Amino acid sequence: NASTTKVSTEWLCNSNEAVEIQLHQSNYKDRFSPNFTYPIFGKHEQIYGYKNLKIKLYYASGSLSTYFNVSFDQKITEITPVAQPDDVIGKIKEFIPKDFTTNYDTFLNIVESDSLNFRPMGEKIDEYYTRRNDNGDDTVYEIYKTNFNTPKFKEFHRRLQIFALFYIEGASYIDEDDEKWEIALLFEKKNTSGTHIYNLVGYCTMYAYFYCDRGKITSVEKSLPQNSTLSHDIRMRISQFLILPPYQSQGHGNKLYQSLYQSFLANSLIKEITVEDPNEPFQDLRDKNDLRYLIDSKLLENIQLPVDKQAVENTRHKCRLNKRQMARCLEIYLLRKLN
Ligand code: ACO
């Protein structure tokens, strides 16, 4: 009836708005919220049973040490003892590792010691600089390559992975026992009073599939032992690509993509690069960067209408794009030439 409906909606809140994220120690103290929480709270992204609910997930911005706290002004059981409010703490706990603290002072101490002691894990594969800050220093950004065998990485990844659910539609957790995952981590490195402080900017998960020249992933890939040291041709699939919200729209997505693309080109075993379910912003980033590469490296210069199929295939093998992405780039390139 009408009064039941009224009480129900009064005790409902939007789960995206209830979650507050902060990155401590980076420049960005502003809180931000997830774009998606349906994997945690269900497809309607609503939480029942609280007024002014706040779910705080604060992170040390390098190590991702976590402060987790749930607060509210009122819980429905104070009014209706038999009501069943959602188990907010239980639901979040299913998605974060147990090593969080609920004590804010403890968290601040961890942030301080982490900021001095935390160093990125894995092998540094690239770095780039951006604008000078007020002190005239350049900010350095460093990219590290890791996998689940990298010391300390599993622990870090367990804290990190919830960001994929929060910002990539359709994302799910990847299997940390599968050694074919490669993960690139992008960090901002700040020089503060002679100490280097690292802040996480973004990351990308990639999976090394077996590559078969006829363009099909076969069951052979499944049969390769997980710790196979056999060198075989690879189809590298970008799975989850994320720049954290405070760092978006500043060119970091471009830089991370370009760096990964160059590392793929430098590996002669990687024959093809694919992307798992790219969304529109990522497809846009990919198109622009692939096209820029094709043009800068003059790989499209010999291609004219009518298009020679073999010439396109030759170019495709050089740039390692898959067929669909090669066709997209070619179409955009040829349309640019229309007058
Ligand atoms: N819509 C349209 N174009 C965009 C958008 C957008 N939302 N965001 C970036 N672009 C364009 C920019 O105009 C820019 O073009 P330019 O090279 O001509 O300047 C280019 O893409 C890259 O801009 P960056 O500033 O480098 O992009 P950013 O660092 O913000 O990274 C990304 C883009 C990865 C989409 C980031 O915003 C993000 O992580 N978003 C949330 C998570 C997400 O959607 N990830 C991709 C999911 S698909 C997948 O994982 C395979």
Side-chain angles (χ1 to χ4, degrees):
N1 65 30
S3 64
T4 314
T5 314
K6 187 166 178 285
V7 171
S8 303
T9 51
E10 195 187 333
W11 291 94
L12 276 178
C13 69
N14 179 289
S15 51
N16 293 344
E17 288 165 13
V19 175
E20 293 180 7
I21 303 167
Q22 277 188 24
L23 301 174
H24 277 243
Q25 196 61 59
S26 77
N27 283 339
Y28 309 95
K29 286 272 164 51
D30 290 351
R31 65 171 81 112
F32 49 99
S33 288
N35 290 346
F36 309 105
T37 45
Y38 67 85
I40 304 169
F41 295 108
K43 64 177 178 183
H44 298 298
E45 300 188 316
Q46 284 182 329
I47 300 172
Y48 175 71
Y50 305 87
K51 280 192 182 158
N52 198 20
L53 177 69
K54 289 200 172 81
I55 303 167
K56 291 181 180 157
L57 281 168
Y58 294 174
Y59 292 89
S61 54
S63 67
L64 301 184
S65 290
T66 310
Y67 167 71
F68 170 42
N69 183 280
V70 174
S71 64
F72 45 82
D73 286 349
Q74 207 175 19
K75 195 171 177 177
I76 192 167
T77 42
E78 293 165 27
I79 310 288
T80 317
V82 292
Q84 298 283 328
D86 288 335
D87 176 13
V88 176
I89 295 176
K91 284 186 179 178
I92 293 278
K93 274 182 170 177
E94 285 174 33
F95 291 87
I96 61 173
K98 291 191 177 69
D99 60 356
F100 59 83
T101 175
T102 53
N103 182 307
Y104 192 60
D105 290 334
T106 306
F107 172 68
L108 293 181
N109 287 335
I110 295 172
V111 169
E112 198 168 326
S113 91
D114 277 12
S115 66
L116 297 175
N117 300 322
F118 174 78
R119 293 290 173 268
M121 52 288 287
E123 175 202 354
K124 186 169 128 185
I125 57 165
D126 204 359
E127 66 177 17
Y128 60 89
Y129 295 79
T130 57
R131 69 207 172 277
R132 282 177 183 276
N133 63 21
D134 296 344
N135 301 327
D137 297 327
D138 287 327
T139 305
V140 190
Y141 295 85
E142 298 183 340
I143 299 170
Y144 289 78
K145 199 173 127 186
T146 60
N147 59 44
F148 287 115
N149 288 325
T150 305
K152 297 188 184 164
F153 179 68
K154 265 190 189 167
E155 184 191 36
F156 178 80
H157 182 261
R158 286 176 192 153
R159 297 170 179 168
L160 169 70
Q161 59 190 350
I162 199 166
F163 285 96
L165 301 189
F166 282 161
Y167 295 104
I168 302 176
E169 195 165 7
S172 54
Y173 283 0
I174 63 176
D175 178 5
E176 64 176 34
D177 294 323
D178 189 335
E179 294 174 356
K180 279 188 271 177
W181 283 109
E182 291 178 11
I183 298 96
L185 303 171
L186 170 59
F187 285 94
E188 176 184 55
K189 179 177 164 186
K190 303 197 76 161
N191 195 342
T192 309
S193 321
T195 314
H196 289 137
I197 294 181
Y198 287 88
N199 300 314
L200 182 74
V201 173
Y203 76 105
C204 176
T205 62
M206 296 155 282
Y207 197 85
Y209 279 99
F210 182 84
Y211 174 80
C212 163
D213 204 17
R214 283 189 301 274
K216 285 182 184 154
I217 301 166
T218 67
S219 55
V220 181
E221 146 226 338
K222 299 274 180 212
S223 65
L224 282 171
Q226 291 298 311
N227 57 356
S228 169
T229 50
L230 286 176
S231 56
H232 58 83
D233 287 345
I234 292 169
R235 166 183 283 121
M236 189 57 92
R237 188 176 69 175
I238 292 178
S239 179
Q240 299 163 334
F241 189 102
L242 172 65
I243 300 296
L244 294 173
Y247 296 91
Q248 286 172 9
S249 304
Q250 296 162 36
H252 295 298
N254 274 348
K255 291 283 192 190
L256 179 59
Y257 183 85
Q258 285 159 12
S259 178
L260 293 175
Y261 187 74
Q262 287 305 322
S263 74
F264 299 152
L265 290 180
N267 181 347
S268 60
L269 291 176
I270 297 178
K271 302 296 181 202
E272 198 171 277
I273 304 158
T274 66
V275 179
E276 180 182 343
D277 296 336
N279 63 6
E280 218 177 298
F282 187 82
Q283 186 59 49
D284 205 58
L285 179 156
R286 182 190 188 195
D287 288 342
K288 285 174 170 171
N289 284 290
D290 289 349
L291 199 61
R292 276 193 284 250
Y293 173 76
L294 286 166
I295 292 169
D296 290 351
S297 51
K298 304 191 190 323
L299 284 171
L300 295 177
E301 277 187 355
N302 296 330
I303 296 179
Q304 278 153 9
L305 288 170
V307 174
D308 176 53
K309 209 173 159 188
Q310 194 52 49
V312 176
E313 265 309 278
N314 294 345
T315 302
R316 193 173 81 77
H317 286 300
K318 282 184 198 148
C319 64
R320 324 267 175 93
L321 299 184
N322 66 7
K323 280 193 173 153
R324 188 174 168 277
Q325 183 62 7
M326 183 72 226
R328 276 181 75 91
C329 289
L330 196 57
E331 196 175 340
I332 299 168
Y333 176 73
L334 293 172
L335 285 171
R336 286 167 80 240
K337 294 190 150 192
L338 284 180
N339 59 23

